C-alpha cells in the first residue's frame, strides 16, 4: 500500500520550463519527508501538485488515501498547507484569522473560537491574540500561518520552506512545534533549502534537482555520499601548506583541497571531535602553526556537488505569473 503521500511520475511544464520531470515519492504515515533542493529545483511545484493547486501534465498522486486528480475537494479537506509566505489577513487580529479559517472549514462558531484559543496558546501568541496581524513580526506571522493550517487537525501537512527568513530563535521555536505535530501522528512533507533543517526534522530526505529526485535516504546516508564531515585548517605561514597537506592525508578519507591564497586546507574525515584533537596534536608536533581549525558538516552545495557535479545553483522554476495563471485554470 502507498504511504500517506504518494507520487508517481509527476510531470509539469510551464511553457518551455519543465518544472517537474517524473517525480516519485512515497511518505509513510506519521513520518517526515524533507524535500531538499535550491530555488527552482521543483520543490514548490511538487507541493502545489500534491495539494491540488496545480494539475500535473502526467503522473499519479495519492494523499491521505485519496486520488489527487479524481477527488481534489476531498484531498483539501484532509490536508494542511503552510506556503512560503504567511497567508494571513493583516487587518484581522490573530484570533480573528484563526476563527475565520475555522468557519471556512464549516466549523461551528463556538468550536472555531475554542480551537483558536488552543492554537494561540500552542504557538505562544496569546499575548498578541487581539492585535492586528500587521503589527506582528515575521516570526509571529509565520507561527500564525502554521496555526491556521492546523485549525482542523489534518492528518497530512505540507510546509513549503516554513523557516525561510526567520531568525535563529524563531526557527528553533518552529522546529519544536513541527516535532510536536509529528509526534501526534501527522504525516509531513517539508521543503527546504537547508540541509541542517532537513537533518533536524526529517526521517527521510529526497534531494531534488531540475525537476527530478536524484537521491533519497536518511541524513547520514546522504552525508556519507558527500564524504561526511570535513576538517578545515588555516595555516599561519604559506610555506607550511604542503606539510599540513601531508598531516591531513594521514587522517582524511579523500583528497585534501587547498585554497592557497587563503592558506586554507579542507579534508573529508570521519571521527568527529576526537579526530580533530588528534589533528591538532599532529600539527603541533610537526611545528605547523595554525590560525584556525574546525570541523564542519556538509553543506547543501557539498551534497549537490557530490550528487550532480555542480553546486546548488539558483534556477527559474517558473514565474509566479505563470504559476498563478495555471492555477486559475
Amino acid at each position: 500500500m502507498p504511504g500517506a503521500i504518494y507520487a508517481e511520475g509527476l510531470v509539469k511544464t510551464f511553457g518551455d520550463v519543465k518544472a517537474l520531470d517524473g517525480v516519485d515519492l512515497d511518505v509513510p504515515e506519521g513520518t517526515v519527508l524533507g524535500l531538499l533542493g535550491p530555488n527552482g529545483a521543483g520543490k514548490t511545484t511538487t507541493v502545489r501538485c500534491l495539494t491540488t493547486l496545480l494539475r500535473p501534465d502526467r503522473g499519479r498522486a495519492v494523499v491521505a488515501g485519496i486520488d489527487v486528480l479524481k477527488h481534489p475537494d476531498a484531498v483539501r479537506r484532509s490536508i494542511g498547507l503552510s506556503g512560503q509566505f504567511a497567508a494571513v489577513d493583516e487587518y484581522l487580529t490573530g484570533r480573528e484569522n484563526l476563527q475565520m479559517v475555522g468557519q471556512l472549514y464549516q466549523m461551528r462558531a463556538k468550536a472555531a473560537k475554542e480551537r483558536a484559543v488552543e492554537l494561540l496558546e500552542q504557538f505562544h501568541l496569546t499575548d498578541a491574540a487581539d492585535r492586528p496581524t500587521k503589527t506582528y513580526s515575521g516570526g509571529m506571522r509565520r507561527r500564525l500561518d502554521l496555526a491556521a493550517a492546523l485549525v482542523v487537525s489534518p492528518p497530512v501537512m505540507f510546509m513549503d520552506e516554513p523557516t525561510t527568513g526567520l531568525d535563529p530563535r524563531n526557527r528553533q521555536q518552529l522546529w519544536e512545534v513541527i516535532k510536536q505535530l509529528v509526534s501526534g501522528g501527522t504525516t509531513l512533507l517539508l521543503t527546504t533549502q537547508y540541509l541542517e533543517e532537513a537533518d533536524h526534522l526529517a526521517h527521510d530526505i529526497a534531494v531534488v534537482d531540475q525537476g527530478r529526485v536524484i537521491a533519497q535516504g536518511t541524513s547520514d546516508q546522504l552525508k556519507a555520499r558527500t564524504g561526511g564531515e570535513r576538517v578545515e585548517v588555516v595555516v599561519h605561514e604559506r610555506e607550511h601548506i604542503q606539510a599540513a597537506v601531508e598531516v591531513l592525508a594521514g587522517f582524511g578519507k579523500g583528497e585534501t583541497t587547498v585554497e592557497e591564497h587563503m592558506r586554507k586546507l579542507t579534508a573529508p574525515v570521519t571521527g568527529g571531535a576526537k579526530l580533530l584533537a588528534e589533528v591538532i596534536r599532529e600539527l603541533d608536533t610537526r611545528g605547523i602553526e595554525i590560525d584556525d581549525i574546525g570541523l564542519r558538516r556538509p553543506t547543501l552545495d557539498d551534497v549537490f556537488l557530490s550528487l550532480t557535479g555542480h553546486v546548488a545553483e539558483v534556477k527559474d522554476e517558473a514565474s509566479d505569473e505563470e504559476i498563478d495563471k495555471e492555477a486559475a485554470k
Side-chain angles (χ1 to χ4, degrees):
M1 293 292 291
I5 303 171
Y6 177 79
E8 182 180 352
L10 290 185
V11 174
K12 185 66 187 176
T13 58
F14 300 93
D16 296 330
V17 178
K18 182 169 277 191
L20 301 183
D21 191 15
V23 169
D24 298 323
L25 297 172
D26 193 356
V27 188
E29 186 176 342
T31 67
V32 181
L33 175 70
L35 209 58
L36 180 69
N39 288 332
K43 305 187 306 297
T44 294
T45 301
T46 299
V47 168
R48 284 173 169 162
C49 286
L50 292 171
T51 57
T52 78
L53 296 177
L54 287 175
R55 187 179 181 90
D57 299 326
R58 293 198 303 276
R60 175 172 175 255
V62 177
V63 174
I66 306 166
D67 189 295
V68 172
L69 298 181
K70 293 179 181 178
H71 306 290
D73 289 342
V75 170
R76 293 180 193 124
R77 289 192 291 269
S78 302
I79 64 172
L81 170 63
S82 178
Q84 290 187 20
F85 305 101
V88 297
D89 189 318
E90 293 190 342
Y91 295 97
L92 297 180
T93 66
R95 189 188 308 277
E96 290 168 342
N97 265 282
L98 297 180
Q99 291 177 186
M100 178 185 67
V101 172
Q103 291 169 347
L104 289 173
Y105 275 102
Q106 300 182 339
M107 294 176 67
R108 293 183 181 276
K110 181 180 179 182
K113 289 180 180 179
E114 291 173 351
R115 182 61 175 153
V117 170
E118 292 173 4
L119 289 167
L120 288 165
E121 183 175 348
Q122 180 181 357
F123 285 84
H124 309 292
L125 291 169
T126 301
D127 291 344
D130 297 310
R131 281 169 37 197
T133 55
K134 65 182 178 181
T135 67
Y136 283 19
S137 67
M140 292 168 69
R141 290 188 191 200
R142 175 54 85 187
R143 296 203 303 276
L144 181 64
D145 180 65
L146 182 54
L150 297 173
V151 166
V152 294
S153 303
V156 178
M157 273 288 299
F158 295 86
M159 297 185 188
D160 193 7
E161 301 191 15
T163 64
T164 297
L166 296 187
D167 60 43
R169 179 173 174 271
N170 278 307
R171 181 172 293 173
Q172 289 284 345
Q173 286 181 340
L174 197 53
W175 284 359
E176 290 306 313
V177 170
I178 290 171
K179 286 193 287 187
Q180 290 173 15
L181 178 66
V182 175
S183 68
T186 300
T187 304
L188 171 63
L189 189 149
L190 168 80
T191 78
T192 182
Q193 298 182 60
Y194 308 118
L195 180 60
E196 177 193 10
E197 183 160 275
D199 186 14
H200 195 79
L201 297 173
H203 298 92
D204 212 20
I205 299 171
V207 181
V208 182
D209 186 37
Q210 298 180 347
R212 298 187 302 273
V213 176
I214 60 172
Q216 186 166 350
T218 66
S219 174
D220 288 342
Q221 288 169 340
L222 291 178
K223 289 172 189 174
R225 294 178 67 170
T226 64
E229 298 166 317
R230 284 156 169 72
V231 166
E232 289 186 347
V233 179
V234 178
V235 298
H236 185 66
E237 300 289 346
R238 198 178 302 273
E239 54 265 30
H240 286 158
I241 289 177
Q242 186 54 45
V245 167
E246 294 172 5
V247 170
L248 292 181
F251 295 96
K253 299 298 181 182
E255 184 178 354
T256 299
T257 60
V258 178
E259 297 174 61
E260 194 163 342
H261 65 291
M262 298 177 64
R263 307 185 309 283
K264 185 168 80 171
L265 301 84
T266 305
V269 298
T270 57
K274 181 179 179 181
L275 179 135
L276 186 63
E278 293 173 358
V279 171
I280 293 171
R281 281 196 295 269
E282 184 62 22
L283 289 168
D284 185 58
T285 299
R286 297 277 295 270
I288 302 170
E289 187 177 352
I290 60 174
D291 290 339
D292 193 21
I293 188 168
L295 190 69
R296 72 171 177 84
R297 307 175 79 181
T299 65
L300 177 59
D301 277 351
D302 293 329
V303 171
F304 268 74
L305 187 60
S306 173
L307 296 173
T308 69
H310 66 78
V311 297
E313 300 162 340
V314 174
K315 301 179 178 69
D316 291 329
E317 184 170 339
S319 70
D320 289 340
E321 184 177 331
E322 287 175 308
I323 292 175
D324 291 341
K325 187 184 297 182
E326 180 72 19
K329 289 182 179 179

